[in-house]
Amino acid sequence: MRKVNFAEFGGPDVLRLVDAEEPHPGPGRIRIAVRAAGVNPVDWRIREGQALKAHPIAFPSGVGLDAAGVVDEVGPGVEGVAVGDRVFGEGSSTYAEFAVLSAWARMPDGLGFAEAAGYPSVVETALRVLREVGVRPGQTLLVSGAAGGVGSAVLQIARDRGIAVIGTAGAANQDYLRSLGAAATTYGEGWVERVRRLGRVDAALDLAGSGVIRELVELTGDPRRVVSIADLGAPEHGVRFSGTAGSVPAALAEAVRLIARGALHIPVEKSYPLADAAAAHVDSQAGHTRGRRVLIV
């Protein structure tokens, strides 16, 4: 089978499309024929050697955590899923023609593989940071870097829970944020005052790592009301850095419920063939994403 891997830490150029042995599922795992794989910031952070504590690796290493596809092998002890089922979930080395998943859910009717591949890690992260920041119905949440995959999920889930949202993003994504129910403003000079004009901020999330932690603490008045998933220096300001995943099966179950109710939709901004994984990483690292980027297998 074909898969993307890398044999040393570095930039996108270390990624290689190679021939590899097919993986097989152990107990409690399934294998899928991958139709699409999600491209997440954690993928290139692992490639660069940034995320080794949560994701230790041995070279050569595969790439990717999220995927959607068709079940073609079921490991010992697995129940409730059969060969031929369409599923999406999280595993390892998902930039490949076949991948083993450790958590999965059946795809809701009407959901395509490309869109489904963008949900697992994104929804888990969104649910986790909403829980950690402690924002409640009736309060207002500020989301810095709101147009990407996690931001898109946070805005929709928060609104579904009765939480008002303010989102910052580039000028080209203002209408997109408003379509998700957010009060929107641009980042850049004067952004703090623009946010203040939109109303009180009870809690804030840093999803982009753009050096705004100090300002988010100023807006909320309490570092305990700010959580970052992108700025490793956040703890220096008393702000929690959230980098360890919670329950992926629970997140997938919640994603299915939200999608089935029409309460969650994250568009695929761009898809790439498997051979263009390096280009997908370049674009992901550049930011300014609206929704998700995926690889089509």
Side-chain angles (χ1 to χ4, degrees), residues 107-135:
M107 288 168 49
D109 291 341
L111 186 65
F113 289 117
E115 183 182 339
Y119 283 108
S121 294
V122 160
V123 174
E124 185 283 318
T125 302
L127 292 169
R128 169 169 32 100
V129 295
L130 282 168
R131 180 177 65 252
E132 291 174 350
V133 82
V135 65

Side-chain angles (χ1 to χ4, degrees), residues 58-69:
F59 292 127
S61 174
V63 191
L65 300 174
D66 292 351

Side-chain angles (χ1 to χ4, degrees), residues 27-104:
R29 304 287 191 266
I30 64 171
R31 189 179 85 165
I32 63 170
V34 178
R35 297 291 184 262
V39 177
N40 296 301
V42 69
D43 298 343
W44 50 261
R45 291 192 173 107
I46 293 171
R47 188 206 71 222
E48 290 184 339
Q50 294 184 31
L52 295 185
K53 185 175 181 180
H55 300 278
I57 65 170
F59 292 127
S61 174
V63 191
L65 300 174
D66 292 351
V70 179
V71 178
D72 79 336
E73 287 187 12
V74 176
V78 173
E79 299 179 350
V81 67
V83 170
D85 286 348
R86 292 158 44 98
V87 300
F88 66 125
E90 186 176 279
S92 60
S93 301
T94 57
Y95 293 15
E97 291 178 322
F98 295 94
V100 171
L101 301 185
S102 54
W104 60 87

Side-chain angles (χ1 to χ4, degrees), residues 150-218:
V150 175
S152 298
V154 164
L155 295 183
Q156 293 174 80
I157 295 170
R159 292 289 293 145
D160 189 63
R161 295 178 176 183
I163 298 163
V165 287
I166 299 171
T168 67
N173 285 326
Q174 298 296 292
D175 287 343
Y176 173 67
L177 296 189
R178 294 185 186 104
S179 76
L180 301 182
T185 191
T186 53
Y187 44 69
E189 185 176 354
W191 75 270
V192 171
E193 290 307 315
R194 290 195 293 276
V195 168
R196 283 201 173 104
R197 288 196 292 269
L198 292 172
R200 171 188 171 89
V201 174
D202 297 294
L205 297 174
D206 166 39
L207 306 182
S210 52
V212 297
I213 296 296
R214 190 184 305 274
E215 290 85 354
L216 296 181
V217 172
E218 177 186 339

